[in-house]
RNA sequence: GCUCCCAUCGUCUAGUGGUCAGGACAUUUGGUUUUCAACUAAAAAACAGGGGUUCAAUUCUCCUUGGGAGUACCA
């Protein structure tokens, strides 16, 4: 069977790092297996879903390079279909109607008493749990209501589905059986009878579990007595996530569901719904979540939680794709830098980690630098042009001049955002740091040296070796060690104490700018 | 409270019933360089704790601790 996976975000704003990583794993799995990667927009939350968010979703997918197959479907357009499925579930007793308080009747999924109707339910043996004798046990179609006992001996109201208590006996303090569910089960299941048993001390029953096989975590199971019948259609008629999600996965013929492990609890429920609808169960894979730099789950309050934040910081989509894939997955050797093609050919789910991963921007930055290095110079220069055109100093620059600057700077640029610090190539308005200038320029001899340089430069043919020897001559003539003039010179010409080689910078800046800036420094800074 | 998931250097990870527990980022120290970056050589750095199985446990198992999730007429 062909692999069909899906990415099913709810469009309520920006795309989360964790979400996009889930999308990436789905996409890689599909591409690796020559399958289909589908999009489903889960826009049933009308209050929070916006068209703007939907637009963002598609543009972000495109930006990071996740192409999808087939026409995306919108969950909001499937509501009728969901309701039909709910009707069917009602018809074959897998669901029932129930009103909480005085509201409208909602539809609840009926976790089945009879385990022959559903697969994926196993028996794990007879167990006993203690209950608080002061609180009567109430048993009805909706489930079992009782009180467990806290550490301090106080009652804790607890409720669970009926199906969790196969062969239930309620035992009192004299070890007498007060109640046996098998005697009463039919009328209870039909909703015709409610039992209330006082003075119970222990519940003895056959524990049953719902299970599924996770591709990376193995078999996962959960006791039915820790679950409740749950709402699948609200009192107002709108389908709930659990139903909608399952129906749409069936509709889209999804074969593999790959999602965050925060969905494990949902999957137990979904497993039941799939089978109640009589659909084939897809295979499930739960991938670990990504946490922020503090090790906490990403929330919207964290800075840099969104894909767009990373883009705004100047990271390249290739680097993000590469880095995010490495968060929770590794190939079978030490390779780290992998492009789209290589990731696709090497990606398999069995090499996915099963513990959560912390986001480390420093590593992303390093990887981004590796990708920046490989950008063809023309492309780099082109992109730089776009970036600096937003700057007051960068909107009308000579293309050839910019090419030279870009060529000089590319190897030391780790993100495109660093380009914003290049203003000194284009404007004489330098951002001097008073501390630095005072320290390096207000020293004896600097003024004289700069004056000498202005004189020598004005007659010089601007070539790299001439510039270098000229500066060395001046340095020597004022009795300073070779190279000691470079830093003051750099500061006077660029305003900063770091950057590319100063001789190259001087060459690119050209005679006019250099002399102008030296004059300024002589008069104002030394 | 109950249920579920998780646990190797600071971080991402590799790995195995017997390994000097490997790599990358970050860190520190040298080299190179006119500064920075790059490059280069090196250093420091981990199997959460406690039982059990075993000749042997980081690896299998149990418990504890810690982290996370669910326990909604949110998705």
């Amino acid at each position: 069977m062909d692999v069909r996976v899906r990415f099913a975000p709810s469009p309520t704003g920006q795309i989360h790092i964790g979400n996009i990583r889930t999308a990436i794993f789905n996409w890689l799995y599909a591409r690796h297996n020559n399958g289909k990667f589908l999009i489903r927009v889960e826009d049933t939350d009308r209050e929070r879903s916006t068209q703007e968010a939907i637009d963002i979703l598609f543009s972000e997918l495109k930006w990071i390079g996740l192409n999808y197959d087939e026409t995306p479907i919108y969950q909001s357009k499937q509501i009728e279909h969901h309701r039909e499925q709910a009707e069917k579930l009602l018809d074959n007793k897998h669901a029932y109607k129930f009103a909480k308080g005085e509201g409208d009747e909602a539809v609840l999924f009926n976790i089945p008493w009879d385990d022959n109707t559903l697969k994926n339910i196993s028996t794990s043996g007879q167990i006993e749990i203690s209950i608080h004798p002061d609180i009567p046990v109430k048993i009805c179609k909706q489930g079992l209501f009782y009180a467990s006992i806290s550490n301090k001996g106080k009652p804790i109201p607890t409720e669970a589905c009926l199906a969790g208590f196969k062969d239930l006996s309620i035992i009192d303090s004299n070890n007498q059986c007060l109640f046996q569910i098998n005697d009463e089960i039919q009328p209870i299941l039909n909703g015709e009878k409610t039992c209330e048993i006082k003075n119970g001390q222990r519940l003895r029953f056959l524990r049953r579990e719902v299970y599924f096989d996770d591709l990376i975590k193995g078999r996962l199971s959960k006791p039915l007595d820790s679950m409740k019948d749950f709402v699948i259609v609200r009192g107002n008629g709108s389908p709930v996530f659990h139903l909608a999600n399952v129906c749409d996965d069936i509709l889209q013929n999804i074969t593999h569901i790959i999602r965050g492990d925060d969905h494990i609890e949902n999957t137990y429920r979904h497993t039941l719904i799939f089978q109640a609808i009589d659909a084939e169960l897809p295979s499930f894979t739960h991938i670990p979540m990504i946490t922020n730099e503090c090790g906490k789950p990403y929330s919207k309050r964290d800075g840099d939680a969104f894909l767009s934040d990373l883009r705004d910081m100047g990271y390249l989509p290739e680097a993000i794709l590469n880095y995010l894939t490495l968060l929770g997955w590794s190939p079978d050797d030490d390779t780290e830098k992998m492009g789209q093609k290589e990731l696709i050919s090497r990606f398999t789910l069995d090499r996915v980690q099963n513990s959560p991963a912390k986001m480390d921007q420093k590593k992303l930055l390093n990887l981004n630098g590796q990708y920046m290095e490989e950008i063809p110079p023309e492309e780099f220069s082109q992109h730089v042009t776009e970036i600096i055109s937003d700057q007051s100093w960068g909107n009308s620059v000579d293309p050839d001049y910019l090419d030279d600057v870009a060529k000089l700077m590319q190897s030391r640029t780790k993100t495109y955002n660093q380009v914003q610090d290049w203003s000194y190539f284009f404007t004489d308005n330098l951002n001097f740091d008073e501390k630095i200038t005072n320290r390096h320029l207000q020293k004896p001899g600097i003024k004289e040296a700069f004056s000498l340089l202005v004189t020598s430069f004005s007659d010089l043919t601007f070539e790299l070796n001439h510039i270098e020897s000229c500066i060395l001559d001046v340095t020597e003539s004022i009795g300073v060690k070779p190279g000691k003039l470079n830093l003051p010179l750099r500061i006077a010409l660029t305003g900063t104490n770091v950057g590319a080689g100063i001789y190259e910078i001087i060459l690119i800046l050209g005679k006019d700018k250099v002399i102008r800036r030296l004059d300024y420094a002589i008069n104002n800074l030394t």
Side-chain angles (χ1 to χ4, degrees):
Chain A
M1 187 168 50
D2 287 344
V3 166
R4 292 170 66 85
V5 300
R6 53 32 169 212
F7 176 49
S10 40
T12 56
Q14 285 289 340
I15 307 202
H16 222 256
I17 299 284
N19 274 147
I20 201 71
R21 207 274 309 250
T22 304
I24 289 171
F25 279 19
N26 274 283
W27 178 80
L28 286 172
Y29 187 73
R31 294 293 170 256
H32 179 87
N33 293 293
N34 287 316
K36 300 273 192 263
F37 175 67
L38 312 182
I39 304 292
R40 179 166 81 238
V41 182
E42 301 210 330
D43 56 347
T44 41
D45 188 341
R46 283 303 177 75
E47 302 267 304
R48 296 192 296 149
S49 301
T50 62
Q51 183 58 45
E52 189 195 357
I54 293 172
D55 294 342
I56 289 172
L57 166 69
F58 286 109
S59 71
E60 297 285 54
L61 284 174
K62 186 170 182 196
W63 181 71
I64 199 160
L66 305 187
N67 56 336
Y68 53 86
D69 305 294
E70 303 184 7
T71 311
I73 74 164
Y74 290 80
Q75 194 159 68
S76 58
K77 301 206 173 120
Q78 313 298 327
I79 289 178
E80 279 317 311
H81 175 239
H82 302 152
R83 288 201 186 112
E84 283 168 24
Q85 293 297 334
E87 286 301 325
K88 279 192 199 163
L89 287 173
L90 282 167
D91 287 347
N92 50 27
K93 306 282 185 215
H94 280 303
Y96 58 89
K97 290 187 174 174
F98 181 70
K100 193 181 189 178
E102 306 205 338
D104 294 326
E105 280 189 321
V107 179
L108 270 77
F109 183 81
N110 185 12
I111 298 179
W113 176 264
D114 291 318
D115 54 9
N116 51 2
T117 51
L118 301 190
K119 293 172 283 181
N120 282 54
I121 290 184
S122 65
T123 303
S124 68
Q126 195 181 62
I127 67 156
E128 280 190 10
I129 57 176
S130 299
I131 59 171
H132 200 105
D134 294 354
I135 311 288
V137 177
K138 186 183 155 203
I139 301 169
C140 61
K141 184 177 172 63
Q142 285 76 38
L144 201 93
F145 301 77
Y146 63 100
S148 53
I149 306 172
S150 75
N151 292 342
K152 291 175 183 165
K154 293 192 171 157
I156 305 167
T158 308
E159 109 184 57
C161 65
L162 209 53
F165 299 90
K166 189 86 171 172
D167 298 345
L168 172 73
S169 309
I170 301 179
I171 317 283
D172 75 1
S173 52
N174 299 320
N175 221 14
Q176 297 296 306
C177 179
L178 300 173
F179 174 83
Q180 286 201 312
I181 201 167
N182 293 349
D183 299 343
E184 320 272 354
I185 188 65
Q186 262 323 312
I188 297 174
L189 284 176
N190 293 338
E192 295 155 359
K193 186 167 184 179
T194 297
C195 303
E196 199 168 286
I197 297 94
K198 291 181 180 148
N199 300 319
Q201 193 96 23
R202 300 191 310 277
L203 304 180
R204 177 188 296 157
F205 57 95
L206 191 61
R207 174 166 271 180
R208 293 188 296 174
E209 305 177 318
V210 53
Y211 68 88
F212 63 90
D213 293 307
D214 185 282
L215 252 41
I216 61 185
K217 293 183 199 285
R219 176 158 295 192
L220 265 24
S221 63
K222 184 179 174 72
L224 291 183
D225 54 284
S226 68
M227 297 174 74
K228 286 188 279 191
D229 289 350
F230 51 92
V231 174
I232 52 176
V233 180
R234 297 185 187 90
N236 67 10
S238 63
V240 169
F241 164 74
H242 302 297
L243 179 67
N245 195 264
V246 169
C247 288
D248 293 344
D249 281 332
I250 295 169
L251 185 74
Q252 288 187 297
N253 276 314
I254 302 301
T255 59
H256 298 258
I257 294 177
I258 303 168
R259 52 176 27 163
D261 64 9
D262 51 331
H263 278 288
I264 289 178
E265 297 280 340
N266 292 332
T267 301
Y268 293 117
R269 300 202 265 227
H270 295 188
T271 297
L272 296 171
I273 302 181
F274 268 106
Q275 301 195 345
I277 291 180
D278 206 20
E280 198 173 328
L281 200 62
S283 107
F284 288 98
T285 306
H286 293 90
I287 60 178
M289 314 233 278
I290 298 179
T291 63
N292 64 21
E293 318 248 345
C294 309
K296 298 285 172 193
Y298 264 114
S299 77
K300 291 177 184 167
R301 303 174 65 183
D302 291 309
D304 312 338
F306 300 121
L307 184 58
S308 58
D309 293 326
L310 296 183
R311 185 186 49 217
D312 292 347
M313 282 185 278
Y315 293 112
L316 300 168
E318 305 91 295
I320 296 175
L321 180 77
N322 191 162
Y323 177 74
L324 253 25
T325 305
L326 251 21
L327 231 42
W329 174 84
S330 61
D332 53 8
D333 60 20
D334 289 334
T335 316
E336 293 207 320
K337 183 166 175 295
M338 284 167 283
Q340 215 185 69
K341 262 191 173 169
E342 188 170 2
L343 287 171
I344 290 172
S345 77
R346 303 189 69 163
F347 185 83
T348 54
L349 285 175
D350 61 310
R351 295 196 61 83
V352 173
Q353 183 83 1
N354 54 4
S355 55
K358 245 185 241 180
M359 178 81 184
D360 179 10
Q361 274 202 38
K362 284 186 177 150
K363 183 139 185 171
L364 173 58
L365 184 66
N366 178 283
L367 202 54
N368 202 67
Q370 294 182 44
Y371 279 92
M372 292 291 289
E373 253 181 76
E374 289 180 355
I375 298 172
E378 318 80 61
E379 193 186 311
F380 181 73
S381 176
Q382 177 58 37
H383 202 113
V384 167
T385 311
E386 286 163 26
I387 292 168
I388 65 172
S389 63
D390 290 343
Q391 306 286 336
S392 57
W393 43 265
N395 45 26
S396 56
V397 296
D398 175 47
D400 291 336
Y401 180 71
L402 190 127
D403 275 350
D404 290 342
V405 173
K407 218 170 275 172
L408 180 67
M409 297 299 286
Q410 181 168 1
S411 70
R412 60 194 72 227
T413 305
K414 288 196 168 179
T415 73
Y416 275 119
N417 278 25
Q418 294 173 349
V419 170
Q420 286 161 9
D421 300 331
W422 292 5
S423 65
Y424 60 81
F425 284 106
F426 304 96
T427 168
D428 287 343
N429 285 328
L430 305 180
N431 302 313
F432 291 109
D433 179 322
E434 209 172 313
K435 256 189 183 167
I436 297 175
T437 49
N438 289 351
R439 180 149 164 238
H440 294 282
L441 298 186
Q442 299 189 352
K443 285 198 296 198
I446 297 289
K447 196 193 258 288
E448 293 69 26
F450 280 6
S451 302
L452 279 172
L453 275 175
V454 169
T455 319
S456 328
F457 277 161
S458 40
D459 295 328
L460 194 72
T461 319
F462 255 44
E463 280 175 25
L464 204 53
N465 52 348
H466 292 167
I467 291 167
E468 182 169 356
S469 52
C470 174
I471 291 172
L472 283 174
D473 288 347
V474 170
T475 312
E476 202 184 339
S477 72
I478 60 165
V480 176
K481 281 187 200 159
K484 287 293 176 195
L485 200 52
N486 289 333
L487 187 56
L489 195 51
R490 173 186 296 281
I491 292 165
L493 293 177
T494 69
T496 83
N497 54 1
V498 297
I502 188 62
Y503 309 138
E504 284 89 348
I505 291 178
I506 290 174
L507 180 66
I508 286 183
L509 284 173
K511 193 181 288 188
D512 291 349
K513 284 202 195 73
V514 169
I515 290 180
R516 228 168 27 233
R517 292 180 192 185
L518 282 174
D519 279 337
Y520 178 85
I522 291 166
N523 295 323
N524 301 285
L525 302 171
T526 57

